[in-house]
Amino acid sequence: MPATENQPSFLGRISIRRNQIIAMDGNHEQELEDLELFQRHIGDRFAELLSPPDNQDSPFSGESFLSISWLRKLVDVFLCCEAEFKAALIMGSDPSQISKPPLDRLLSDYMERAVKALDICNAVSGGVDSIRECQKLAEIVVSALEQKPIGDGQVKRAKKALSAMISASAIDDKENNHPRYAERTWSFGRRGNNSGGNHKDRANHGSFRSLSMVVAKNWSAAKQIQSMCSNLAVPRGGESTGLVQPVYIMSNVMVFVMWALVAAIPCQERSGLLTHFQIPKQFGWAHTIIGMQEKIGEEWKKKEKKGSAGLLEEVQRMEKLGQSLIEFADGFQFPAEDEKSEEAAAQVAELAEICQRMEEGLLPLQQQIREVFHRIVRSRREVLDLLDHGKGEESSKTRQELLTAAATCVCHLYPTWAALHGSQKVVLKLDLHDDRGKQKAMKAVSGLQGIDSISMDMKEQKLTVVGDIDPVDVVSKLRKNWHTEILTVGPAKEEKKDEGKKDDGKKDDGKKDDGKKGDDKKDEGKKDGEKKNPNEQQMAELMALYKNYYNYNPYPPQYHYRVISSEENPNACAIC
Amino acid sequence: MPGCQSMTTTYEGEQHVIAAAQHILKVLGENKNLTGDFRRVLTELDSHLSAMTIITESKRRGFSEVEEQLKCAERKVMRWESNPSLIWDSGPTEASEYIQAVNEIHTVMETLGGLSMNDHGRPKELAFRAQCVQQIAMSRLEEELYHILVQHKQSFELKNISFPSRVDFVYDESFVSVEDEIVNDTSQRDKSGRESNEYIVDLIDPLLIPDIKSIASVMFASGYDREFCEAFIGNRKDALDEHLSNLEIQKLSIDDVLNSEWDILSCEIKKWVRAVKIIIRVYLASEKQFCNQILGDFGSHDSYCFVEISRASIFYLLNFGEAIALGPYNPEKLFRFLDMYEVLADLHLDMEGLFSEVANSFVMSEFHDLLRRLGASAITTFLEFQNAIALNASIHPFPRGEIHPLTRYVMNYITTLTAYGDTLNLLLKDPNPVLETDSGQDICTSAFSPMGCHLRSITSTLESNLIRKSKLYKDGSLEHIFLMNNIHYMVQKVKGSELRLFFGDEWIRKHNGKFQQHATSYERATWSFVVSLLRDDGRTSLKERCRRFSNAFNDVYKIQTRWCIPDLQLREDLQISTSQKVIPAYRAFLAINSRNGSDKYIKYTSDDMEKMLLDLFAGPSMSLRNSHRW
């Protein structure tokens, strides 16, 4: 790949320049640079995926195109791009811009796409499960054929597992294939209608049952990709502000990554996958993606001929080995010829290696896909908040006023009961009959703060509580377990009743309200201040993240699986 | 087995020792309280001992007898291959004979394995033959296992599994037409005491568990453990999936969820809440026990199988939760969010129990994630609800000054919320609460709890919205009637429900004052003027004063009989207090002026007027009924 292709193309530059002229903001110089960086990073990252630096000569090194570790890198790249995109989105513009056309529409399209990607994540995750089931069958094959010398029995055992494995992977995107039901009827009818063939292999076992576990019945991966692509129009220069481009680019990246996952891993209903997604060629960042897409496309076409389950390199190799091992098993006669059994032994070793790789890679891949899921969910929330905020600024001054006028936390207006009333004596009637209940009740009440004394008269079922307490608290504690009635509430010592004062208070309500309004306004100011704070904090965090990315350090520490990934694949870091 | 060879000298003695050891093992094995490890050790010992028996036996009896043994076992196995019926359906003796045969093959193989290392030819051939028979038998056992698992699946009525649960709220979720009576009993909550084994059921006929176990042990011993696990997992997974569909759980994609109507979704959520509870507390707990019963003796296989069996279903259930938590946060969703949150929080311990030993805590972290997300969604919705109240705007004044639907809606809504008081308190205090055994026990439902604060804040938002709405009336008196009605309604709602605990007496007292204030203001606004017309200001003639008063009173009557105070007590109170203000003044006026011969100007007696005052605020029905008067 020539180095120049990784740079934003001339055309790309032009369109950016034009944007700059349209949006005459002071910030736009910066924004432009950001955009250019963003595009270049995407180009770079995908370029590394397209041609892994070292391992081109050794075909089965485990790092090759469409292998498990390659997919894991792809997912990593997606996560990096997504983080960078979000940083650009949230920092690069003021909210009011985001909530105005065309960005508002583009962003909400983007969000819809993201939601569709969630379903794909789930489906792919189910696909990984089904590959794991194949892996388990392959492990049986390995453990059967590993034994030396190989006897007829073990060969038969292997054959059984092999045919289950192969039929499992042959069951692919065809809609009406419900292996599970076939299997069930088989289980019941197996002995009932003794139709000769006693030892049918469990060929119908259908390991890809997991597919139907995860997604809805009529769900189609291909259709999902297709609907992700709808509305994905190349932004015209005239209407694009700085952010229109990143939204468009990120959409393409997302669709591509999902598309590649669907192609690599068995998913429900993938027919026509190839035709659903095209990236326009005129963009610099797109070259590498298009390159990869073409490469995957070729594989896909081969696959369609072979009827293979997924493009995942390990799966393809497993199928191939499975085929030749089944031939070996079919032709097996005891005692085995040395040449043949040596060949088989090599194949078994390879199969064992694949199983090993799957064992190590599939679950982490699944977790990464889950991480993508969660990331998309989080980002979606953040962007929606952003959109909301933008709209809020424009339209809802009244709403803000209303809210704050009424709702400044009432807590402040209500001093505690004890502060208002001083020490209280509360007499309660409790539906209690025995000492245990009494103890329980006393214990419940004694947990409250400010209690001076508690006494219980079992004869009259009266509980007397004295202290700086809120009668409501006392009652609510007790009501959980017993029927409770308040008999009297009063000051603990015979103090002057301030009933009169309270009445005054009532009459003054009107005035009080006026006074409160003033207070509320003050509070309003406070609230706004507080509201901004978390926003700024978020910004700072994102800024830090963003800078991290620009320093080519795409691994923020919070991803638990990353630790594993970098340990296992020394190349994992090389992407970025 | 080199140890055993050097250990003994005489065959007889050896046999005795082994027999004694086996007997001890058997007795030990019958003890129910053994730990898994110990049990495993016993099983291993047992198989070692049998191997020893065979080896010593084979040494004694020689090779030909081993061959004979294999042939015998082979016959037994092959006999079933041509038999269409299932072994385990044919009776316990058949089954145990078969198992016996497979065991024999295994022991033969072990014996031969020891021999064929240094001996070629015949023993080796025999070993391969044994291998073949073993494979056939294993394949057969796998089938039998499948069949047993499918045929003897216990079906039980889900109705028998009942959880003490909250009364399902019938809740009208629209802003209009909210009936008052719908929210009656919100206090019946469950904090069910939980016993870990309480809900465990038999997934498979318990009589067959020893059979399955014997298949398991024979397959494990023969090195076919993978086959056993795969078959077992596959079958149980299907069964679990079936349970899910029996619980009417449809597989919905996230797209579907987001595009569903709320009514449908709300139904799905209710089903989900029930299903999650039953799946986790009943099926998964039972499944785990079942796995343990069958595979507990074989190392970590039981937890591996359990995780594999349960993963897909758990993830499906969690994903539905995630999809719901994505959605827009409309106020009506709050209850469902809280339902979902509570059910998961409630199941937290069960989940810990199910997945704690599992090294892969992926499931648990996902579970916690979802719990957090649902909690956040609930709180966001709760806060959003306040926004919605603040933003609810009217263009036209609400007719007759009645209780506004918004007031009804909000008050019923928050009354319903009290049922979730503990959870909300917990979430408001800390959006990501630490789940303890008794969550929410120590946060009291008091006026000063976070929930109390928020509820009061919500009602004050409502009040200020109502004040805004009241400004739409052209008639100042109606403005007061409207506010009086609505605030009175709020107070009644608070007094008559659990809300009382959250609002506190102070709030009630204050708001009692408020609506009384509005009543007073109404009297002042309407009647001060009317009564003032009676006063002799020295300029207007008696006739004119009478005329003006009558006209004013008529106007008031005409207009205000159409107004409405739905609460009878409140209406009566206001009528009485109005009477007390107006009638004495009128009587006095009549008394002063009766001497002047003003009778001809007087339209009503004071009694008439008192009666007429009783017609006020009766609403449309009354004005129709009494239209004959005018």
Side-chain angles (χ1 to χ4, degrees):
Chain A
M1 167 125 334
T4 48
E5 282 195 32
N6 297 341
Q7 306 297 322
S9 71
F10 179 65
L11 233 81
R13 278 167 196 276
I14 293 275
S15 78
I16 298 162
R17 288 283 134 75
R18 208 187 291 148
N19 300 343
Q20 193 189 7
I21 296 162
I22 290 157
M24 305 275 251
D25 214 280
N27 281 341
H28 274 256
E29 199 62 45
Q30 180 63 40
E31 202 173 275
L32 180 70
E33 276 175 33
D34 292 353
L35 176 59
E36 228 166 292
L37 263 173
F38 179 57
Q39 297 192 4
R40 203 167 65 225
H41 287 170
I42 286 183
D44 289 353
R45 287 187 182 129
F46 281 100
E48 299 227 11
L49 277 175
L50 181 56
S51 46
D54 297 322
N55 299 301
Q56 267 150 331
D57 1 284
S58 52
F60 297 140
S61 60
E63 300 291 329
S64 42
F65 196 61
L66 284 172
S67 66
I68 293 175
S69 59
W70 185 86
L71 276 184
R72 289 178 61 189
K73 278 190 204 165
L74 178 73
V75 175
D76 263 347
V77 167
F78 173 78
L79 287 170
C80 290
C81 294
E82 206 273 344
E84 202 171 306
F85 167 69
K86 203 168 68 190
L89 188 64
I90 293 176
M91 297 189 336
S93 63
D94 58 316
S96 63
Q97 194 196 8
I98 282 178
S99 57
K100 271 182 213 147
L103 255 183
D104 59 343
R105 183 179 51 79
L106 290 175
L107 271 177
S108 75
D109 283 353
Y110 175 78
M111 289 300 126
E112 258 176 51
R113 231 164 265 141
V115 166
K116 292 186 161 61
L118 294 181
D119 273 328
I120 292 187
C121 285
N122 284 340
V124 167
S125 178
V128 172
D129 270 343
S130 60
I131 295 178
R132 286 187 62 227
E133 282 172 32
C134 270
Q135 177 207 334
K136 298 290 165 203
L137 289 167
E139 280 171 5
I140 293 177
V141 174
V142 169
S143 81
L145 294 183
E146 249 174 3
Q147 309 201 354
K148 276 177 192 154
I150 304 176
D152 233 0
Q154 293 298 345
V155 170
K156 269 192 199 151
R157 180 186 179 191
K159 200 171 139 189
K160 189 173 165 211
L162 275 171
S163 48
M165 188 180 97
I166 284 170
S167 70
S169 32
I171 293 163
D172 191 15
D173 350 83
K174 285 128 213 148
E175 260 176 303
N176 337 336
N177 231 326
H178 284 294
R180 288 192 302 138
Y181 300 115
E183 176 189 38
R184 221 169 261 158
T185 46
W186 166 76
S187 288
F188 282 118
R190 157 79 176 62
R191 292 281 159 174
N193 59 359
N194 175 32
S195 55
N198 245 350
H199 270 277
K200 253 189 266 172
D201 281 337
R202 273 173 55 204
N204 277 334
H205 181 65
S207 285
F208 283 0
R209 86 180 87 220
S210 320
L211 295 189
S212 51
M213 286 294 290
V214 196
V215 286
K217 229 184 213 164
N218 297 320
W219 191 83
S220 148
K223 282 201 190 112
Q224 194 81 353
I225 294 280
Q226 190 178 21
S227 66
M228 277 178 86
C229 294
S230 65
N231 295 332
L232 190 55
V234 182
R236 278 167 289 141
E239 65 170 12
S240 47
T241 64
L243 274 171
V244 170
Q245 282 289 338
V247 172
Y248 176 70
I249 297 172
M250 195 57 214
S251 293
N252 273 299
V253 168
M254 180 168 7
V255 177
F256 169 71
V257 171
M258 292 302 146
W259 179 86
L261 283 173
V262 168
I265 289 165
C267 276
Q268 187 169 303
E269 231 291 289
R270 298 185 292 179
S271 52
L273 181 65
L274 213 52
T275 54
H276 288 331
F277 172 49
Q278 239 103 47
I279 299 176
K281 290 201 166 104
Q282 70 263 38
F283 296 104
W285 50 265
H287 289 305
T288 48
I289 297 184
I290 292 169
M292 256 182 291
Q293 207 194 356
E294 280 167 0
K295 221 167 147 185
I296 295 173
E298 279 164 32
E299 293 281 327
W300 183 264
K301 277 179 200 148
K302 274 191 238 158
K303 182 223 100 140
E304 277 188 333
K305 274 182 213 150
K306 280 191 300 182
S308 147
L311 296 185
L312 190 69
E313 195 224 15
E314 280 83 355
V315 170
Q316 292 206 54
R317 277 170 64 204
M318 197 160 86
E319 281 167 13
K320 215 167 131 197
L321 289 169
Q323 291 291 355
S324 64
L325 279 174
I326 216 166
E327 275 167 31
F328 165 76
D330 279 340
F332 182 81
Q333 268 186 340
F334 186 77
E337 300 155 44
D338 280 352
E339 196 185 318
K340 268 192 181 171
S341 54
E342 259 170 43
E343 195 189 317
Q347 284 169 343
V348 170
E350 199 184 331
L351 193 60
E353 188 222 320
I354 292 172
C355 287
Q356 180 65 25
R357 204 169 285 163
M358 284 180 165
E359 181 70 35
E360 281 163 5
L362 285 179
L363 280 180
L365 175 65
Q366 209 173 26
Q367 289 184 22
Q368 255 172 309
I369 290 168
R370 196 68 186 166
E371 171 68 24
V372 170
F373 182 98
H374 288 312
R375 178 75 77 75
I376 289 175
V377 168
R378 269 202 303 276
S379 299
R380 181 174 173 274
R381 189 74 252 147
E382 280 166 26
V383 173
L384 285 180
D385 283 349
L386 205 66
L387 281 173
D388 241 20
H389 190 63
K391 271 181 203 145
E393 288 215 334
E394 272 169 33
S395 69
S396 69
K397 260 198 174 167
T398 42
R399 158 182 153 169
Q400 272 300 323
E401 267 168 29
L402 281 168
L403 258 182
T404 40
T408 33
C409 194
V410 192
C411 298
H412 301 299
L413 305 177
Y414 285 74
T416 65
W417 176 281
L420 274 173
H421 303 267
S423 192
Q424 297 282 308
K425 179 178 173 185
V426 184
V427 184
L428 302 154
K429 187 169 166 65
L430 262 183
D431 195 11
L432 268 182
H433 303 286
D434 54 0
D435 273 343
R436 239 186 110 205
K438 175 183 162 185
Q439 267 188 349
K440 244 181 154 181
M442 306 259 278
K443 201 177 166 195
V445 175
S446 62
L448 292 170
Q449 277 192 342
I451 299 261
D452 287 333
S453 73
I454 313 169
S455 57
M456 175 91 204
D457 184 350
M458 283 305 278
K459 252 187 217 162
E460 294 187 74
Q461 298 190 325
K462 268 189 194 166
L463 178 75
T464 311
V465 186
V466 181
D468 286 344
I469 42 163
D470 183 351
V472 180
D473 281 354
V474 181
V475 174
S476 60
K477 269 273 186 241
L478 292 169
R479 282 238 167 106
K480 281 181 188 161
N481 293 311
W482 303 280
H483 178 76
T484 310
E485 271 177 55
I486 301 185
L487 293 176
T488 62
V489 178
K493 290 160 198 166
E494 288 299 322
E495 284 171 353
K496 276 185 196 170
K497 284 191 180 174
D498 34 5
E499 281 300 311
K501 266 188 193 172
K502 271 175 205 158
D503 276 355
D504 283 350
K506 262 181 211 166
K507 277 175 196 166
D508 283 346
D509 262 357
K511 278 183 202 169
K512 256 191 190 169
D513 276 353
D514 287 352
K516 242 177 259 165
K517 267 178 198 163
D519 283 356
D520 287 349
K521 267 173 198 159
K522 273 181 221 159
D523 278 5
E524 194 179 339
K526 254 191 220 164
K527 241 198 172 175
D528 274 359
E530 280 167 9
K531 264 194 180 164
K532 266 175 197 161
N533 256 345
N535 241 2
E536 272 164 23
Q537 225 175 12
Q538 205 181 18
M539 285 286 246
E541 269 173 33
L542 273 165
M543 186 73 93
L545 261 180
Y546 195 42
K547 277 180 184 155
N548 254 349
Y549 284 119
Y550 281 0
N551 291 336
Y552 277 57
N553 177 10
Y555 290 158
Q558 70 260 38
Y559 307 127
H560 43 104
Y561 62 83
R562 282 253 163 76
V563 186
I564 311 163
S565 95
S566 53
E567 270 172 16
E568 278 171 12
N569 320 315
N571 284 335
C573 290
I575 319 168
C576 312
Chain B
M1 213 126 299
C4 74
Q5 274 163 349
S6 60
M7 196 175 75
T8 54
T9 46
T10 62
Y11 169 70
E12 281 296 313
E14 192 182 63
Q15 281 304 295
H16 282 306
V17 170
I18 291 173
Q22 265 174 331
H23 183 71
I24 292 169
L25 283 182
K26 203 178 161 198
V27 172
L28 278 175
E30 276 160 9
N31 185 351
K32 300 263 189 238
N33 308 324
L34 292 182
T35 64
D37 272 350
F38 192 55
R39 200 175 277 280
R40 198 172 59 245
V41 170
L42 285 186
T43 330
E44 273 168 18
L45 253 177
D46 194 31
S47 63
H48 276 292
L49 284 175
S50 354
M52 279 163 79
T53 327
I54 294 302
I55 286 166
T56 46
E57 233 173 307
S58 72
K59 266 192 300 181
R60 189 175 69 102
R61 287 180 302 171
F63 182 68
S64 62
E65 275 180 50
V66 176
E67 192 175 6
E68 197 47 48
Q69 196 185 7
L70 175 64
K71 268 186 188 155
C72 175
E74 190 179 10
R75 260 201 308 281
K76 279 186 202 155
V77 170
M78 295 316 283
R79 185 164 59 87
W80 281 106
E81 283 311 290
S82 52
N83 191 332
S85 48
L86 283 152
I87 303 166
W88 263 262
D89 282 354
S90 313
T93 30
E94 308 286 325
S96 71
E97 256 176 41
Y98 196 82
I99 289 283
Q100 180 68 27
V102 177
N103 265 330
E104 270 167 33
I105 295 167
H106 178 57
T107 46
V108 165
M109 283 178 76
E110 293 235 319
T111 322
L112 292 170
L115 297 176
S116 61
M117 284 298 124
N118 37 27
D119 197 355
H120 284 276
R122 189 119 177 83
K124 200 175 176 188
E125 199 180 299
L126 215 57
F128 281 133
R129 197 164 127 202
Q131 207 182 59
C132 263
V133 182
Q134 189 184 45
Q135 197 272 333
I136 290 166
M138 288 299 137
S139 184
R140 178 60 184 248
L141 284 175
E142 202 181 319
E143 254 169 58
E144 298 280 339
L145 169 72
Y146 233 87
H147 184 80
I148 293 175
L149 288 176
V150 171
Q151 285 297 70
H152 298 275
K153 198 159 47 187
Q154 295 279 78
S155 56
F156 29 79
E157 281 290 297
L158 284 172
K159 280 165 202 153
N160 299 341
I161 308 162
S162 64
F163 299 103
S165 69
R166 80 170 75 239
V167 178
D168 209 5
F169 301 121
V170 186
Y171 189 79
D172 193 326
E173 283 151 348
S174 55
F175 264 77
V176 280
S177 82
V178 183
E179 293 298 321
D180 259 12
E181 285 74 28
I182 50 166
V183 189
N184 286 327
D185 197 355
T186 57
S187 54
Q188 291 184 12
R189 298 284 316 280
D190 75 303
K191 283 284 174 217
S192 54
R194 190 167 43 230
E195 290 271 316
S196 55
N197 293 333
E198 200 174 347
Y199 301 112
I200 288 185
V201 293
D202 291 315
L203 297 171
I204 297 286
D205 185 349
L207 291 175
L208 279 145
I209 283 180
D211 291 335
I212 301 171
K213 238 180 133 170
S214 66
I215 293 178
S217 62
V218 107
M219 285 182 82
F220 270 72
S222 308
Y224 280 69
D225 49 338
R226 286 203 170 93
E227 272 94 340
F228 181 88
C229 287
E230 289 315 299
F232 187 75
I233 290 170
N235 182 286
R236 297 312 308 158
K237 222 171 172 177
D238 285 352
L240 198 58
D241 199 28
E242 210 170 283
H243 291 317
L244 267 181
S245 57
N246 285 343
L247 288 166
E248 295 169 67
I249 291 290
Q250 292 176 42
K251 299 273 153 74
L252 293 174
S253 67
I254 291 176
D255 238 6
D256 292 343
V257 170
L258 290 184
N259 293 326
S260 291
E261 297 279 317
W262 173 243
D263 293 345
I264 298 165
L265 216 51
S266 175
C267 264
E268 288 295 322
I269 293 176
K270 281 177 195 158
K271 281 191 236 161
W272 181 90
V273 166
R274 178 164 172 268
V276 165
K277 220 171 191 172
I278 292 175
I279 288 287
I280 292 177
R281 199 163 273 173
V282 180
Y283 288 119
L284 287 186
S286 312
E287 196 73 58
K288 177 147 181 147
Q289 201 199 34
F290 184 55
C291 285
N292 193 273
Q293 279 172 342
I294 303 297
L295 296 165
D297 298 341
F298 309 105
S300 62
H301 284 281
D302 64 329
S303 61
Y304 161 76
C305 285
F306 173 68
V307 170
E308 290 298 315
I309 290 164
S310 56
R311 241 158 64 102
S313 306
I314 285 274
F315 268 90
Y316 175 72
L317 289 172
L318 293 182
N319 273 333
F320 180 80
E322 295 278 359
I324 295 292
L326 274 180
Y329 303 136
N330 306 331
E332 67 268 20
K333 289 190 176 175
L334 181 54
F335 302 105
R336 295 290 92 79
F337 280 141
L338 287 168
D339 282 341
M340 293 174 83
Y341 179 86
E342 286 190 346
V343 77
L344 290 188
D346 196 29
L347 289 167
H348 168 253
L349 281 184
D350 301 68
M351 282 293 281
E352 289 279 353
L354 290 174
F355 292 98
S356 59
E357 325 159 5
V358 181
N360 179 3
S361 61
F362 192 37
V363 174
M364 275 324 281
S365 80
E366 287 293 323
F367 181 82
H368 285 299
D369 257 11
L370 176 59
L371 194 62
R372 212 168 15 241
R373 192 124 42 215
L374 284 172
S377 299
I379 291 305
T380 314
T381 314
F382 187 43
L383 302 178
E384 201 60 29
F385 173 61
Q386 199 167 356
N387 280 354
I389 300 169
L391 288 174
N392 177 277
S394 316
I395 309 164
H396 302 294
F398 193 65
R400 299 186 295 278
E402 270 187 278
I403 295 154
H404 198 277
L406 180 69
T407 315
R408 288 181 195 273
Y409 177 78
V410 171
M411 293 315 288
N412 284 325
Y413 188 92
I414 62 177
T415 310
T416 315
L417 269 186
T418 54
Y420 300 89
D422 287 346
T423 306
L424 270 176
N425 261 333
L426 208 66
L427 285 172
L428 285 167
K429 211 175 175 194
D430 172 11
N432 187 13
V434 186
L435 291 170
E436 283 157 24
T437 343
D438 298 319
S439 52
Q441 271 285 311
D442 44 351
I443 297 183
C444 45
T445 34
S446 81
F448 307 109
S449 61
M451 171 91 163
C453 292
H454 270 88
L455 289 182
R456 286 194 299 271
S457 157
I458 282 175
T459 50
S460 51
T461 308
L462 174 62
E463 272 173 62
S464 54
N465 187 321
L466 288 173
I467 289 171
R468 205 156 33 105
K469 287 194 190 333
S470 75
K471 299 287 180 236
L472 295 169
Y473 293 109
K474 289 192 186 101
D475 189 332
S477 304
L478 188 51
E479 198 177 315
H480 289 297
I481 293 294
F482 174 75
L483 287 174
M484 179 192 72
N485 269 334
N486 282 280
I487 294 172
H488 177 262
Y489 177 84
M490 287 161 70
V491 173
Q492 289 308 106
K493 272 285 174 188
V494 169
K495 271 181 171 166
S497 70
E498 294 278 307
L499 284 176
R500 189 179 62 250
L501 301 175
F502 290 104
F503 280 75
D505 291 348
E506 180 60 25
W507 185 94
I508 294 176
R509 197 174 307 143
K510 196 175 148 200
H511 283 75
N512 266 329
K514 269 193 187 172
F515 78 76
Q516 277 159 15
Q517 181 72 37
H518 284 296
T520 316
S521 301
Y522 152 78
E523 282 170 359
R524 209 172 285 151
T526 297
W527 295 106
S528 294
F529 168 71
V530 177
V531 172
S532 77
L533 293 174
L534 294 172
R535 212 178 301 136
D536 185 4
D537 59 358
R539 278 176 289 170
T540 343
S541 66
L542 176 65
K543 180 184 166 190
E544 184 60 16
R545 275 192 281 149
C546 281
R547 195 182 60 81
R548 283 188 190 170
F549 175 79
S550 303
N551 285 347
F553 186 81
N554 283 346
D555 285 346
V556 168
Y557 184 86
K558 233 187 262 174
I559 294 167
Q560 299 197 358
T561 41
R562 263 177 269 137
W563 295 357
C564 185
I565 300 178
D567 187 273
L568 289 178
Q569 185 64 45
L570 183 66
R571 189 196 295 171
E572 214 168 87
D573 285 352
L574 189 62
Q575 283 164 346
I576 288 169
S577 105
T578 305
S579 283
Q580 282 169 353
K581 196 164 185 189
V582 178
I583 301 299
Y586 192 58
R587 283 222 179 91
F589 172 78
L590 290 181
I592 293 166
N593 294 303
S594 60
R595 281 164 272 146
N596 304 353
S598 58
D599 289 4
K600 52 193 168 185
Y601 308 127
I602 308 287
K603 212 169 170 185
Y604 310 112
T605 65
S606 60
D607 286 352
D608 281 342
M609 199 167 277
E610 219 169 337
K611 268 182 203 147
M612 286 169 79
L613 283 177
L614 292 179
D615 291 345
L616 297 183
F617 316 120
S621 54
M622 192 52 138
S623 56
L624 271 180
R625 189 150 35 98
N626 296 331
S627 56
H628 66 272
R629 277 182 198 248
W630 299 100

